Structure formats: structure tokens, C-alpha cells
Amino acid sequence: MATQKMLTFVSTPREMPEKRSAAERSEDFHEIYREFANQKAAEQASRCSQCGVPYCQSHCPLHNNIPDWLRLTAEGRLEEAYRVSQATNTFPEICGRICPQDRLCEGNCVIEQSGHGTVTIGAVEKYITDTAWDKGWVLPTKPAQERAESVGIIGAGPGGLAAADMLRQKGFQVTVYDRYDRAGGLLTYGIPGFKLEKDVVLRRNKLLEDSGVEFVLNCNVGEDISFDAIRGKHDAVLIATGVYKTRDLDLDNADAGGVVRAIDYLTASNKVEFGDDVPDFEDGELNANGKRVIVIGGGDTAMDCVRTAIRQGAQSVKCLYRRDRANMPGSQREVQNAEEEGVEFVWLSAPGAFTGHVTGDAAVAQERDVAGLPQIGSVRIQKMRLGAPDVSGRQSPELIDGADYDEPADLVIKALGFEPEELPRLWGVEGLEVTRWGTVKANFQSHQTSIPGVFAVGDIVRGASLVVWAIRDGREAADSIESFLTGEARIAAE
């Protein structure tokens, strides 16, 4: 009689891979979770209840065949598990590391709802593909037939790279243009190594190069090459720039020295980890070492900033968020990791002003940095309370009069989210329609923009969102581009 491999959730408790101690991991930028051993991965995968209606799959933006590759892992059929996982996800080992599974697949696991603890889907997903790399199962794409049509992709983030991979599988010639010196977008320069070690991203970039994708790096569209020039070189164009414009604060001394953008801070830190020369880090502007750090914001970017500051040797790290813990948009798992590492969260608090070390004439004489800006000395913190719900049902923060106080600070990092850049103006493009928020207007099924043959995906369409949504958009757009280049859509456009 065959032994039942699955449905062991009643007898087998949920276990995550071993987490390195807070004291150990706070000293470096390596990932905080150790690898599953083969036996432990199979054991945890066997907890899956193999639901007839798998909510984990339906709540995954990519609709990954999660129950199938969990069963194959439990049965020791890892190469098959990898093939099933890779079939729907261009970067499964990356999603296994950085997806907020507690809000997506794991948060909707049926056995989690029944009180047995969710299957550790993300950790198993990571294990499957890391094993595939180790075993040599991950190979460059070799299309059955090469096609003459070419596609230009602007942006080497997850959406652009996912589309590039799918288009190469279909045989199209693909060129990816990006402003940075390494491909990957925020995977490379926005997400710290303790969540996503950079060799994981670089090996995917190398795989795409080996598959025939051409990268044109250090290339700013609108400066180094025009958008019209890219359109002229390719049969179709995909805009996948992401969103990099930082939301700002309307406060006194908002541009004071020591007040920096999260994207600049995280990019500098990641470049240093690559071994690059970063003058703004070396002169201390983007280095938290020995400083009293305050991070403003409550999303995943804020969590990346506070945990990076800890690793850089900050004297203290505090995170201001205007709502309470229950209403924080960032991953609760990340909040817990940050607290373990020594970050202090100051809930129901917002910045009211940035002030210098001294005031009056002394501030003019003594407290100016090389850029001629007053150097920050403290943050005026305003205490908040949650008021009546707004139209979305979320309680709005309200100011508590007379509850302000000053918190000393040497470095303030603004992690308030991102907005789209004004692409039509920056690129000098007429006819590219945008929404009132500045995102590019594109059909949510075909990803076609208002310009024939130009498509758009990811955050530049959705607004700041998750990597997994960008991957989905990129894969869908590849299908639409194929239809445009080979089918009736191209004929109609001509």
C-alpha cells in the first residue's frame, strides 16, 4: 500500500528555515534565513492539504501551481517541481525571498485559516530553484526558431526582465535599456542584500545575456538616446521603467543636510556592497554609522532603510509611522525582524518640522554643510490619533494638539513611497497618455498604450506595487507583443 506523502499538517508543525540570531545578522548584509535541508523541505511541503480549490494559488498574482510543486517536493521529485514552478514564474527564487507571502499565498492557505499554521510556501519555493541552480537544471533559453522582429524594453527591473525572458523564448530579438550600470532595477539597487543577496539577481541577468538578450546600460532615455530613436530601431517597445520619484514632505527645512531620500540611501548601500566607489557614502552623507537615525514611513522600503541603518552601525534607529501597527502597510514579518535587530517603532507619529543643531546667527555661521544647507539636529514629532474611517474604510490619522516634542537626529530618511516621473515631458513624447497620477495609461489585459506598438507594464502603470505583479505584467505583455508582431493587430495598425 502506498504511503500518503501529503496532508501531514495535523502531525507536523509549521517550521521556517533557521533564522540567524539578531546579533549575528545585524553585523552583515547576508540573508537572514539559512537554507532548508532536503529532508526538512520535503517535510514542510508534505503539510499541504492539496485543496480542491487552492486559495494559495488564486491569491498569487502569477497563479503559481503551488499545490503541484509542493507535492512533487514532498515526493522528492525536485527537478519536476522546479519545472512546474518555473513554468508560471520567471524568478521563483527571487519571489520566494521577497514576496510578502503573509499577505498573499501563505496568508490565504486553508490550513492557516483552520489554525494549523500555513505551509511555508516561500521557503520551499526558494529551496526548489536554488537547488535547480546548484544541480545545473537552469539553462539559457534556446528558441525553436529565431525571428527577425526586435523589441526594445526600457527598464531592466522585474517587469522588463520577465518580458525579455518570455520574448526570447518566442524567438524575438530583445534589447533592454536601463539607466543603471547593472540590470535588475530595484532588485539590484533598492532591496538590501539581507533580503535578496545580489548574486541571486546577477546570475539571472547572466542567464538572460546567455539567452541572447542585449543590455544597454548606463543609458538614460531622453538624454543618452531618444524615445523616438528606440522606436525607430525596434518593431515594438515596452516601457517598464518603474517609479523612482520620491514623495516629499511639505515641512520647514525639508531640504536640510542630513535629510535624504530612501532610494538614494539604499542605492548607495547596495553599491558599497558591490565594492563600488560611492563618494556620498564615504563622506558620511548616506552612511548611518554612529548616527541617530529616524526613518519616516511604514512600508517595506522603510523596513529596508531601518534594517540597513542597523547594519551600518547607527547609534539608534527609530521609525515614525502616522498610524498604528495594525494599519502598517509593510510586512509584519519585516517589522518583527526589525524589532529583533534593535529598531524602535514610534507609532501614531508624524514629522512636523526639521530643525538644526542651533538657531539664529549661530545656525548661519556654524550649521551649514558644503551645499549651503542647514544641518539637521532634530525632528519635531507630532503625535497622532486614528479618527473616523475615510471612504476606503481606513481610519484617518488626526493631529493631537499640544503633544509635539523634539527628537534628536543626525540622519533622516524619507521612505514615503514613490511616484511616476513625467515620462512624456522627460522623453519628449507626444501622444503617450498618462493618468491624473502620472502613470502611463495602458490596457490592463494587452498592456497596449495609446501609441500603437508601445506597451507598458509594472509600477509605471500600476503605481508602486509588488515585484510579483511586475513579473505578471511582463509575461502578459510578451504575449501581447507577440500577437502585435505576428497577428492581425500588426496588420490593423499598419
Side-chain angles (χ1 to χ4, degrees), residues 301-364:
T301 300
M303 298 305 97
D304 293 344
C305 291
V306 295
R307 298 180 66 201
T308 295
I310 289 287
R311 284 158 175 79
Q312 290 179 348
Q315 178 182 328
S316 64
V317 182
K318 297 184 178 182
C319 182
L320 301 187
Y321 183 56
R322 59 182 183 160
R323 290 184 169 91
D324 58 10
R325 186 184 191 119
N327 285 282
M328 196 172 193
S331 167
Q332 290 298 318
R333 191 179 296 171
E334 285 297 297
V335 175
Q336 179 185 344
N337 289 334
E339 288 179 325
E340 292 171 357
E341 292 164 7
V343 175
E344 179 184 344
F345 286 87
V346 186
W347 308 110
L348 295 166
S349 299
F354 300 138
T355 57
H357 291 292
V358 293
T359 59
D361 293 338
V364 177

Side-chain angles (χ1 to χ4, degrees), residues 5-26:
K5 292 283 188 181
M6 307 304 291
L7 286 83
T8 65
F9 60 88
V10 175
S11 58
T12 303
R14 177 183 187 273
E15 285 187 46
M16 284 287 288
E18 180 188 354
K19 187 194 293 187
R20 296 195 294 143
S21 70
E24 176 190 353
R25 68 185 193 245
S26 297

Side-chain angles (χ1 to χ4, degrees), residues 5 27-28 56 79 126 129 154 160 176 230 238 275 279 288 331 358 374:
K5 292 283 188 181
E27 297 296 321
D28 60 50
C56 58
E79 185 170 1
K126 169 179 175 288
T129 311
I154 305 173
V176 179
I230 291 176
L238 177 67
S331 167
V358 293

